[in-house]
Amino acid sequence: MKRLKVLIVEDDRRQYDMLVQELNAYFHGLGSYDLIETEHDFLHNMDQIVSDPPDLVLVDVMLPWTRPTKKMPEPPEEVKRERFFRAGVRCVKRLRERQETQNIPIILYTILGRSDLSQDIELYENVTHVQKTKDWTTLIEKMCEVVPVLHEYRR
Amino acid sequence: MDLVGLIEETLRQEEFEGLSLMLRRMVEYLDAEGAILWEVAPASKVVEEKAEGGYLFTVAHWFYEEQMYAIHNLPVKRSATGRAVSLGKPVIVEDVRNDPWVNLDTTFLERFKVEAFFSFPLQFHDGSQGAINFYFDEPLDRFYEPILEDARGIADLVPGLYQVIQDKVSFNLIRDVNDLFYEAGVVGKDRRISEKELSTVIKKVCMQVSKAFEAAETTIILEDEYNERDGFEIRGTTWPRQIKQSDKDIYKGKKEEGISGWCLEFRKPVRIFDLGHFDRDRPQIEKEYPGLTWDDPLDIVGQGKRIFGVTSEEALPPLSYMCAPIMMGDKTAGAIRCSIATKAPYYFAERELELLKLVAGRIGQAWRSWINRRTVEWENERWQDVVRHVQQLNTLVRDQLLEGSIIEEQLCKEVFETASVVLPDASIMDVRLYDEVHDCLVFKYFRGWEYRVDGSKRPDDEIKMLKRRTSCASGKPDSIASYAYQIGEIQVVHDVSNREQAPHYNEIFPEVRQLVSTPIQAGHNSFGVLTVRTTKEGRLPKHVATIFALIGQQLGLYFQLNQLLKEQTITYDNLAHQLKSPANQAFKQIDGYLKRLKRGKKHLPDDLKMVRSLCAQFIGFTLNVNLFAALGQGKTITCNAEEHTKEDIIDLLEEWAEENRILIPEKQDKKLLVRKSSFGVVDRLWQDNRRTRIDRELFVHAINNLLDNAIKYCFNGTLITISGGLMQEGHMFYTAVRNYGIPIQEDEVEKCKRRGWRSEAAWNVVAEGRGIGLWLVDRIMKAHDGTLEIIPTRSNDLTEIRLCFPIQTLEVSS
């Protein structure tokens, strides 16, 4: 089977680790789970994403701009104005602005509820929402729904 | 006419002229030649002393020979009539040529062919004395007794009939004044009449009063405190000569302004018998009305000569004057005055003054009614306008919020527009906003004009932004706006030149007369101050303060909304989101642990540790939420402080360091270290019988917040240390958390303790929390009577935060 690539945009490493563990428990031989932890890293890697688009993107909504370092990159005005609260949505917007990534299925995987994000979801095609709960099955089902081929990788 | 007819006809009389008719009927009844009703004039004691008992003046007269004659008065002590008054019994002059008491005014005697007369003394109902004389054109014969008896009977009726006419005149005057006000709509109707209509009514009242008192002048002076012409203004007068528009028609209510001024200042009625002899009577006048001055500003003496057709002052009758204050409750609203009685007896007696006071009372009621109605109308109009404008403001703000932020300049422009509706004469307005960097109020938005250096004005549309002016936000206020901001209360100044009213006024705009400064605040948050100025004099209506206070609060709300929008300050919903994350993770981890058990994986101890740490973090969040909620409800933190040894503190810190180490992602390579040796100071304190008392749970919570911050903000691959020490020469014990990370600048130190505040650098590196950690820690330390010390980042990127606890010395028992 073809190796699929799942891009996970998540600032909490522990959550990423847990997520990968669970996905590996549900899917076999899926492929890779690439991680981007900050919005700056996402922008920085945009060219890479466009040139080699993933099959699915899981995006946390609340992301920091960057990690603390001595020379931190200056955020754009949009980030200064809106802060981290909709960082993931900005990442989605950038994906949809590029032809190569216009149709990639995106799941906003966040603790925010659907009502918090309905406007953002409705703006773009093929963007859905799964709220982070202790139950993984909702996420798994949604992943299979938006990327039907994943059914073939289920254990 | 018989006696009954005489009485009936007299009772029908409505004016003082009716006295003449009464006398006529009496003369006809007695078949006499004429009659004079006399009154002892209420002149000054000086005059009495000089004139030996005072003078009798004619109140009314009637003769068959209806001719005008010169002013006729009689000295009390040197006339037959005066003798009747002095003795209190009738005097019969059988033959004027032979009676030594007859005052030989031959002009009068010859003109009216008087040969004999009866003089009957009278006591009027107000206590004054007088007489009625019946004159005959023939000497009395021996059989005059019947006529005398008839005359005596009629004389007995005179005081009563006179009083009836007086009462009727009084009643009619009050009724007429009432009717004038009612018909004009000053009272009793729904519509408020205009100021012009009111002036017409007042003029009519003056005319009515003048007619009743037969006064040459009646003038009504009233104050409208909201009028720009500050003072008591002449509202109506019957003064025959045009009064020039000058200072004379505005009174400030001071005794130096003549008789009216004295009446206004002291709120007492004044009656002067004869202004023509003011200087002569000054000592008596000074006794009755201390400080009263008069220099005939309206040329009353000259006017008197014209009215009476005389050229010399000696020929003038008394130029009488009376003035009564018009009151609205206990406030002086104005005065009414009458001068120059044009008909006999040519003076105003006490009864006239009493009537004038009644009229003044009626005018005061009508004036108050009109003022109140106008005030209510003004208020209603202003409130309607304000509500409409606030609705527009709300719509503007809502639309801007949907766009993403409130545009302050546009908002303030709309607020200025609203302010100009409330205060149509407002010409200069500004919004000053608090600049926390420089701790001052900065002029941000402005409407109006300003003087250039050369004195010329800059028109409004040239003003874009003033040069950077500031006002003090703390310390001694340097302006009214500064004062309003500092005390958080609106300031309304009706006269900026009055230093008592406006001690903080600083004259940026020389033409300003009144101003309002209202703080822009929402709850406990102050953003700045709105100031509105007018160049008009007068007094701002009471509703102005209420409305502007509302505008200040509304503006404060908008600024707070804007701030919340920028900072997206936490709500409980947001906190709930934050709370779900570690809770979810903890649950998931437990699930994962159970599944791994089933699958036979080998990382159980690590999994258990992780679960425990996540739960600890969850507990930390819960504590934060609980504290935050309690403080938000105004509760204080309860501190159950206990003594702690060095070992207590170290054990506690190491345990929590262990919890937090596990939560640091390995990739970040951040280390936690407790410097145990530094806590040796606690041992030394114990040795000196000194203790540091700490609430364990709160201490843990504080440390947890500091470590949470340190982990978030420190650079990868660096060390976070926890240590202890003494400061302030050994009076405080501290626990410090140090890390190398994003800097805290010196000017950010105090801001860090503010709820919801974060530096720009901090905003860029977190995706959680709401900036309440240090705020809570600060409150925890205050509950300990301690402090939270934030030491700004040094050049090597090291930041230190200390929890400082007071040390107590135990009393050593002997």
Side-chain angles (χ1 to χ4, degrees):
Chain A
M1 284 189 291
K2 179 192 170 190
R3 285 176 68 79
L4 301 177
K5 187 158 81 170
V6 178
L7 173 60
I8 300 173
V9 186
E10 170 63 65
D11 64 308
D12 188 327
R13 191 69 196 224
R14 290 195 304 276
Q15 291 202 44
Y16 168 79
D17 290 340
M18 264 195 318
L19 178 59
V20 168
Q21 271 186 359
E22 290 302 320
L23 291 178
N24 282 333
Y26 277 94
F27 298 105
H28 172 68
L30 184 65
S32 63
Y33 301 102
D34 296 344
L35 173 65
I36 292 178
E37 292 182 293
T38 68
E39 187 177 357
H40 173 262
D41 288 346
F42 185 91
L43 290 178
H44 188 67
N45 286 286
M46 206 45 213
D47 289 340
Q48 171 72 23
I49 296 168
V50 166
S51 65
D52 183 19
D55 298 286
L56 172 66
V57 180
L58 298 180
V59 184
D60 189 10
V61 172
M62 291 197 278
L63 300 167
W65 167 245
T66 184
R67 294 292 183 203
T69 56
K70 284 198 178 187
K71 289 180 183 176
M72 293 193 293
E74 184 70 14
E77 282 306 311
E78 192 182 27
V79 174
K80 282 183 188 174
R81 197 170 55 243
E82 296 177 358
R83 304 294 188 193
F84 62 79
F85 298 97
R86 291 290 185 269
V89 175
R90 290 195 289 270
C91 295
V92 168
K93 181 181 162 195
R94 283 178 179 81
L95 286 174
R96 287 297 183 255
E97 281 171 352
R98 304 291 290 268
Q99 195 178 2
E100 298 88 339
T101 53
Q102 257 178 4
N103 297 313
I104 298 176
I106 299 173
I107 297 175
L108 290 169
Y109 187 50
T110 171
I111 59 169
L112 295 174
R114 187 177 177 82
S115 58
D116 297 318
L117 298 165
S118 56
Q119 276 188 322
D120 305 300
I121 293 169
E122 286 158 15
L123 270 178
Y124 306 108
E125 291 283 330
N126 215 356
V127 176
T128 53
H129 162 262
V130 172
Q131 192 167 15
K132 284 180 183 174
T133 65
K134 64 183 181 69
D135 181 9
W136 292 102
T137 55
T138 310
L139 175 63
I140 301 300
E141 295 301 329
K142 185 60 73 175
M143 287 172 68
C144 294
E145 180 189 320
V146 300
V147 184
V149 72
L150 281 174
H151 282 290
E152 298 175 22
Y153 295 83
R154 285 187 82 157
R155 290 184 189 275
Chain B
M1 176 174 276
D2 62 3
L3 207 55
V4 170
L6 182 155
I7 294 170
E8 280 179 348
E9 187 157 1
T10 304
L11 291 178
R12 280 198 292 271
Q13 301 311 305
E14 302 280 342
E15 297 174 354
F16 284 125
E17 281 178 359
L19 284 172
S20 293
L21 186 61
M22 176 187 78
L23 292 177
R24 175 180 177 166
R25 296 297 177 230
M26 289 179 178
V27 166
E28 287 169 353
Y29 184 81
L30 294 173
D31 195 22
E33 190 60 26
I36 294 179
L37 178 62
W38 297 94
E39 185 178 55
V40 177
S44 68
K45 286 186 182 173
V46 175
V47 172
E48 281 173 358
E49 284 166 8
K50 283 191 175 174
E52 300 172 74
Y55 278 86
L56 285 154
F57 279 74
T58 56
V59 176
H61 73 281
W62 195 86
F63 285 87
Y64 278 107
E65 300 289 331
E66 292 178 10
Q67 297 171 28
M68 288 294 294
Y69 61 96
I71 306 301
H72 186 181
N73 53 44
L74 294 172
V76 169
K77 288 195 175 177
R78 290 185 292 107
S79 64
T81 309
R83 191 152 177 267
V85 172
S86 301
L87 293 175
K89 42 186 197 178
V91 164
I92 296 115
V93 174
E94 295 180 32
D95 187 340
V96 297
R97 282 179 287 270
N98 296 325
D99 193 314
W101 284 99
V102 171
N103 190 300
L104 290 173
D105 182 349
T106 52
T107 309
F108 166 68
L109 294 173
E110 284 179 12
R111 184 173 294 182
F112 294 100
K113 300 172 185 147
V114 173
E115 297 288 339
F117 63 89
F118 299 143
S119 183
F120 296 94
L122 299 174
Q123 185 81 37
F124 296 114
H125 287 204
D126 63 359
S128 59
Q129 290 177 304
I132 183 156
N133 290 7
F134 298 108
Y135 299 93
F136 301 94
D137 58 356
E138 290 175 353
L140 295 174
D141 64 24
R142 291 184 286 154
F143 305 104
Y144 66 78
E145 284 292 336
I147 302 172
L148 180 63
E149 284 310 306
D150 287 343
R152 193 196 306 273
I154 286 175
D156 285 343
L157 295 172
V158 169
L161 292 173
Y162 184 25
Q163 187 63 46
V164 165
I165 293 177
Q166 280 182 332
D167 288 346
K168 278 199 173 186
V169 169
S170 302
F171 174 80
N172 289 343
L173 177 59
I174 298 296
R175 180 200 61 200
D176 291 343
V177 169
N178 270 347
D179 287 348
L180 278 171
F181 283 130
Y182 187 80
E183 280 161 12
V186 179
V187 291
K189 293 196 180 158
D190 294 333
R191 181 184 76 91
R192 175 178 71 86
I193 65 170
S194 67
E195 197 158 339
K196 193 176 172 187
E197 288 168 307
L198 179 70
S199 291
T200 305
V201 174
I202 292 176
K203 182 82 188 278
K204 285 183 182 176
V205 169
C206 289
M207 289 163 64
Q208 200 65 36
V209 171
S210 267
K211 184 180 167 196
F213 291 128
E214 295 168 330
E217 177 221 3
T218 298
T219 297
I220 293 175
I221 303 164
L222 290 166
E223 184 192 33
D224 179 355
E225 61 179 359
Y226 300 118
N227 195 315
E228 62 175 9
R229 298 182 77 195
D230 185 32
F232 299 88
E233 200 176 342
I234 291 180
R235 295 277 170 164
T237 184
T238 59
W239 193 236
R241 284 185 72 178
Q242 183 80 20
I243 296 178
K244 283 188 284 189
Q245 289 296 314
S246 66
D247 294 339
K248 292 293 177 287
D249 55 352
I250 290 284
Y251 292 83
K252 297 295 183 186
K254 298 292 175 195
K255 63 178 189 287
E256 293 79 20
E257 294 174 298
I259 305 171
S260 301
W262 193 97
C263 176
L264 288 168
E265 179 169 352
F266 294 101
R267 307 175 176 189
K268 287 181 182 173
V270 178
R271 187 174 63 83
I272 307 286
F273 176 71
D274 184 6
L275 286 174
H277 289 103
F278 187 88
D279 289 331
R280 179 198 69 185
D281 297 340
R282 194 186 290 274
Q284 182 61 29
I285 292 170
E286 178 64 29
K287 269 190 192 173
E288 285 187 66
Y289 311 108
L292 188 149
T293 59
W294 181 73
D295 56 6
D296 199 4
L298 299 176
D299 190 24
I300 285 185
V301 173
Q303 192 61 33
K305 289 178 187 173
R306 279 184 285 276
I307 289 171
F308 295 113
V310 301
T311 52
S312 70
E313 288 182 30
E314 288 73 25
L316 281 171
L319 301 176
S320 203
Y321 176 104
M322 59 179 177
C323 183
I326 297 171
M327 305 299 290
M328 279 201 314
D330 57 358
K331 190 179 175 323
T332 308
I336 179 170
R337 70 172 184 233
C338 296
S339 65
I340 309 180
T342 57
K343 300 263 177 82
Y346 303 103
Y347 59 79
F348 303 122
E350 203 58 32
R351 58 177 168 266
E352 276 80 33
L353 184 61
E354 290 303 313
L355 181 54
L356 190 68
K357 284 156 69 177
L358 288 175
V359 172
R362 197 63 203 93
I363 296 171
Q365 287 172 3
W367 184 240
R368 171 154 56 181
S369 171
W370 187 81
I371 291 278
N372 285 348
R373 202 181 282 193
R374 185 192 63 183
T375 304
V376 167
E377 264 188 33
W378 276 0
E379 268 200 50
N380 286 344
E381 284 167 16
R382 292 292 82 80
W383 276 111
Q384 281 172 22
D385 289 336
V386 164
V387 166
R388 195 167 52 247
H389 273 258
V390 168
Q391 279 175 347
Q392 287 172 8
L393 268 172
N394 281 341
T395 305
L396 171 75
V397 167
R398 186 203 62 205
D399 291 345
Q400 289 186 353
L401 281 174
L402 288 174
E403 294 289 319
S405 71
I406 296 171
I407 303 169
E408 279 182 5
E409 188 173 352
Q410 208 173 343
L411 175 67
C412 289
K413 199 173 164 186
E414 286 295 329
V415 166
F416 290 150
E417 201 53 45
T418 306
S420 67
V421 164
V422 178
L423 208 55
D425 301 316
S427 50
I428 307 171
M429 311 178 204
D430 68 76
V431 165
R432 277 169 257 195
L433 295 180
Y434 178 63
D435 178 342
E436 56 184 344
V437 173
H438 298 98
D439 189 30
C440 66
L441 295 164
V442 177
F443 279 74
K444 286 283 281 183
Y445 305 104
F446 184 83
R447 170 165 150 171
W449 38 262
E450 188 199 348
Y451 285 96
R452 293 197 181 95
V453 174
D454 64 1
S456 59
K457 289 183 195 174
R458 294 178 67 149
D460 178 44
D461 54 6
E462 284 187 26
I463 301 291
K464 297 298 176 189
M465 199 69 176
L466 289 180
K467 62 182 178 180
R468 199 171 176 82
R469 280 205 185 125
T470 63
S471 299
C472 289
S474 53
K476 187 179 173 190
D478 60 1
S479 63
I480 294 174
S482 168
Y483 181 63
Y485 174 80
Q486 288 187 29
I487 67 169
E489 287 176 15
I490 187 168
Q491 300 296 302
V492 179
V493 179
H494 301 287
D495 179 5
V496 296
S497 65
N498 182 331
R499 281 297 155 191
E500 278 184 22
Q501 224 184 95
H504 305 291
Y505 181 65
N506 89 36
E507 298 172 12
I508 300 177
F509 307 105
E511 290 192 5
V512 166
R513 293 290 170 265
Q514 305 181 76
L515 69 79
V516 180
S517 256
T518 182
I520 300 168
Q521 56 191 20
H524 297 297
N525 295 324
S526 292
F527 298 95
V529 61
L530 164 69
T531 302
V532 177
R533 306 169 185 78
T534 169
T535 56
K536 293 200 86 171
E537 295 204 18
R539 191 174 178 85
L540 296 172
K542 290 191 180 100
H543 59 265
V544 162
T546 314
I547 292 177
F548 271 105
L550 168 70
I551 291 174
Q553 286 165 15
Q554 199 70 14
L555 194 51
L557 176 64
Y558 298 141
F559 274 102
Q560 185 167 59
L561 276 173
N562 210 18
Q563 189 178 71
L564 291 174
L565 196 67
K566 286 175 186 170
E567 296 179 5
Q568 297 210 23
T569 304
I570 199 166
T571 63
Y572 291 126
D573 287 340
N574 281 348
L575 261 181
H577 287 313
Q578 301 295 321
L579 208 52
K580 282 179 200 171
S581 182
N584 278 337
Q585 288 183 54
F587 293 137
K588 277 192 177 153
Q589 204 69 21
I590 292 168
D591 270 353
Y593 157 67
L594 291 173
K595 283 175 188 167
R596 274 186 281 282
L597 269 179
K598 285 184 186 172
R599 295 172 202 154
K601 297 288 180 180
K602 290 180 184 175
H603 300 285
L604 294 179
D606 289 341
D607 288 343
L608 283 173
K609 275 189 184 176
M610 178 64 77
V611 168
R612 184 173 166 225
S613 297
L614 286 170
C615 288
Q617 194 180 41
F618 173 78
I619 291 167
F621 270 104
T622 310
L623 276 172
N624 266 6
V625 169
N626 287 341
L627 267 182
F628 178 77
L631 290 170
Q633 289 164 13
K635 296 178 185 172
T636 52
I637 297 175
T638 305
C639 179
N640 299 313
E642 295 170 337
E643 294 174 359
H644 284 75
T645 63
K646 178 186 83 175
E647 287 71 27
D648 291 334
I649 296 173
I650 290 173
D651 288 346
L652 192 154
L653 290 172
E654 282 210 317
E655 181 183 334
W656 279 93
E658 185 64 25
E659 305 284 357
N660 281 277
R661 270 189 208 105
I662 289 178
L663 295 175
I664 300 172
E666 198 176 327
K667 190 181 171 187
Q668 291 179 9
D669 192 28
K670 296 176 184 177
K671 303 271 190 290
L672 270 178
L673 174 67
V674 177
R675 295 194 183 281
K676 299 182 200 176
S677 61
S678 64
F679 289 96
V681 295
V682 180
D683 277 343
R684 289 204 293 279
L685 289 174
W686 276 74
Q687 285 163 9
D688 295 340
N689 279 323
R690 295 160 78 205
R691 302 286 186 268
T692 178
R693 295 168 61 80
I694 300 172
D695 180 312
R696 184 188 174 87
E697 189 177 298
L698 290 177
F699 179 59
V700 163
H701 190 55
I703 284 291
N704 198 48
N705 272 299
L706 295 191
L707 289 177
D708 186 57
N709 277 353
I711 293 168
K712 273 193 301 214
Y713 299 125
C714 75
F715 301 140
N716 287 354
T718 58
L719 186 66
I720 301 167
T721 61
I722 307 168
S723 59
L726 295 178
M727 56 188 270
Q728 290 192 12
E729 297 172 346
H731 293 294
M732 305 253 337
F733 161 74
Y734 71 81
T735 301
V737 174
R738 294 189 184 90
N739 69 268
Y740 296 86
I742 61 170
I744 297 176
Q745 309 293 353
E746 183 141 2
D747 60 347
E748 293 172 339
V749 162
E750 287 307 308
K751 294 178 197 174
C752 286
K753 300 179 190 176
R754 287 189 207 157
R755 191 183 83 185
W757 187 88
R758 272 199 180 129
S759 66
E760 281 301 314
W763 272 111
N764 292 335
V765 302
V766 294
E768 60 177 4
R770 289 309 298 119
I772 64 171
L774 286 182
W775 175 71
L776 285 172
V777 172
D778 186 48
R779 301 296 288 268
I780 287 171
M781 296 316 298
K782 282 186 167 92
H784 280 88
D785 289 329
T787 56
L788 169 65
E789 297 291 325
I790 301 172
I791 296 162
T793 307
R794 297 155 206 156
S795 57
N796 57 357
D797 300 318
L798 179 69
T799 302
E800 180 176 334
I801 301 182
R802 294 181 180 181
L803 306 175
C804 306
F805 298 89
I807 295 169
Q808 285 137 7
T809 304
L810 296 180
E811 285 180 9
V812 180
S813 54
S814 56

